[in-house]
Amino acid sequence: MHYRLPPLNALRAFESAARLESFSAAAEELFVTHGAVSKQIKLLEDWLGVKLFDRTGGRVKLTDAGWRYLVQVQDGLDLIANATAQLVQPDRQRRLVVNSIPTMAMHWLLPRLPDFQREHPEIELRLMTSDRDVSRLETAFDVAIRRGPGDWPGYIAQPFLDEWELPLCSPALLERQPIASPADLAKHPLLYADTRPTAWQRWFTLAGVPELKAATTQHFDHFYLALQAAMDGMGVVLGPMPMMQAEIDAGTLVAPLPGPSVAVRGYSWVVPRASAKDPAVNAFTQWLERCAEAR
């Protein structure tokens, strides 16, 4: 069969620039100049006879045609990469790259990974963490875990774990100053994370104390730092369940109030469409779902 293919270097430049939404970032990733990326994309647009990017004020943005083409190009490049890996390393242990949100990785995924490795010793897991959208990741992955459901063109995604929030603190903090009602939280330092800035106010409203003011507050740029501060007795955090159940079972944290439980966005696994039938990918996503059902 004869394939009518565009210039492959131009395809690589397009995929990188479209994913990173920047010609300069694509140039850094591909170790070429900004001008080289621009030239390759112009070559591709001329070859296709289609405008892929809008260029305004030094910024670039994918056109609708560019978005549609990106999805298909990424699928094709993923297929080539997977086929190549299987060909040149047929007898090596299959490596599965999992990219997860940091807090989820630390408190829910990591403690469970030994079970997956016992079930699938033929799969070598590489765990990476990031908060970035999957389309903006600089390193390829097989499975990502993100809050969802979301809009992920070019990927297959499935929600697998619900989440809700409750006030959590260390046993020592609770012993010094009991919490019998939501109003008692005003006597404690409250811990905030910049990634969840409205969480406490949402909980106060549902708890019937919308005007509650804490004695003191502590702010952290990452949520996992706020959780660690709560475990160290610095204050009360609005913690995610069932993610923190292991810490409660171990006695590191306690939930002094039964509610209200505030439902928030849960978690979805996200897989490149081209990897949807990969046995290792399917084994991992099915395992995630079983773990979530078992809590």
Side-chain angles (χ1 to χ4, degrees), residues 51-72:
K51 187 179 181 181
L52 300 173
F53 289 93
D54 285 322
R55 300 162 176 83
T56 55
R59 299 175 62 86
V60 295
K61 181 180 179 181
L62 280 171
T63 62
D64 289 343
W67 275 112
R68 293 194 300 271
Y69 194 49
L70 174 62
V71 171
Q72 301 299 323

Side-chain angles (χ1 to χ4, degrees), residues 28-42:
E28 292 181 10
E29 181 176 81
L30 299 174
F31 300 103
V32 298
T33 65
H34 180 284
V37 171
S38 181
K39 182 178 178 180
Q40 288 293 332
I41 290 173
K42 179 66 166 55

Side-chain angles (χ1 to χ4, degrees), residues 105-148:
M106 293 169 61
H107 293 284
W108 193 89
L109 185 58
L110 267 175
R112 291 167 170 79
L113 283 183
D115 292 335
F116 178 81
Q117 293 182 315
R118 280 192 291 270
E119 290 182 23
H120 297 278
E122 77 283 4
I123 298 175
E124 174 192 349
L125 281 175
R126 183 184 180 193
L127 179 60
M128 307 178 72
T129 62
S130 175
D131 288 315
R132 300 184 72 179
D133 185 85
V134 294
S135 64
R136 301 174 67 89
L137 291 173
E138 298 178 358
T139 303
F141 65 89
D142 296 297
V143 182
I145 299 175
R146 290 294 184 273
R147 287 191 171 278

Side-chain angles (χ1 to χ4, degrees), residues 3-295:
Y3 294 99
R4 183 173 180 267
L5 296 174
L8 296 185
N9 281 339
L11 278 182
R12 289 188 64 209
F14 164 70
E15 191 279 333
S16 180
R19 171 168 41 84
L20 299 173
E21 296 182 344
S22 167
F23 285 10
S24 297
E28 292 181 10
E29 181 176 81
L30 299 174
F31 300 103
V32 298
T33 65
H34 180 284
V37 171
S38 181
K39 182 178 178 180
Q40 288 293 332
I41 290 173
K42 179 66 166 55
L43 174 66
L44 182 61
E45 289 179 323
D46 290 345
W47 192 93
L48 295 169
V50 174
K51 187 179 181 181
L52 300 173
F53 289 93
D54 285 322
R55 300 162 176 83
T56 55
R59 299 175 62 86
V60 295
K61 181 180 179 181
L62 280 171
T63 62
D64 289 343
W67 275 112
R68 293 194 300 271
Y69 194 49
L70 174 62
V71 171
Q72 301 299 323
V73 167
Q74 286 179 327
D75 283 353
L77 292 176
D78 283 341
L79 285 171
I80 293 171
N82 289 338
T84 303
Q86 293 173 19
L87 179 65
V88 300
Q89 299 176 338
D91 299 323
R92 292 188 61 182
Q93 191 177 36
R94 168 69 162 94
R95 173 177 288 182
L96 192 73
V97 179
V98 178
N99 190 296
S100 173
I101 294 174
T103 303
M104 150 64 75
M106 293 169 61
H107 293 284
W108 193 89
L109 185 58
L110 267 175
R112 291 167 170 79
L113 283 183
D115 292 335
F116 178 81
Q117 293 182 315
R118 280 192 291 270
E119 290 182 23
H120 297 278
E122 77 283 4
I123 298 175
E124 174 192 349
L125 281 175
R126 183 184 180 193
L127 179 60
M128 307 178 72
T129 62
S130 175
D131 288 315
R132 300 184 72 179
D133 185 85
V134 294
S135 64
R136 301 174 67 89
L137 291 173
E138 298 178 358
T139 303
F141 65 89
D142 296 297
V143 182
I145 299 175
R146 290 294 184 273
R147 287 191 171 278
D151 182 22
W152 296 297
Y155 299 89
I156 294 174
Q158 177 66 42
F160 72 93
L161 182 67
D162 294 332
E163 183 176 288
W164 60 96
E165 293 175 332
L166 281 174
L168 303 176
C169 64
S170 71
L173 188 74
L174 189 63
E175 185 175 344
R176 291 196 300 269
Q177 183 68 61
I179 301 174
S181 70
D184 290 335
L185 290 169
K187 305 171 186 175
H188 287 269
L190 298 187
L191 308 178
Y192 285 77
D194 293 345
T195 51
R196 303 186 183 196
T198 63
W200 269 117
Q201 189 56 55
R202 183 172 59 243
W203 191 89
F204 293 153
T205 300
L206 290 176
V209 288
E211 304 300 324
L212 187 143
K213 301 295 182 183
T216 60
T217 61
Q218 295 282 346
H219 292 259
F220 301 87
D221 57 349
H222 290 291
F223 187 48
Y224 59 82
L225 294 177
L227 290 172
Q228 185 61 52
M231 287 186 274
D232 292 339
M234 290 182 61
V236 185
V237 70
L238 199 57
M241 301 294 293
M243 196 181 304
M244 304 306 295
Q245 188 61 52
E247 282 72 14
I248 292 175
D249 292 342
T252 308
L253 289 173
V254 293
L257 299 172
S261 296
V262 180
V264 295
R265 294 178 72 198
Y267 295 89
S268 296
W269 55 254
V270 185
V271 171
R273 190 181 305 171
S275 303
K277 295 184 179 180
D278 186 311
V281 168
N282 288 336
F284 190 77
T285 56
Q286 291 168 12
W287 173 80
L288 284 176
E289 293 174 4
R290 292 199 305 272
C291 287
E293 290 175 359
R295 296 291 186 208

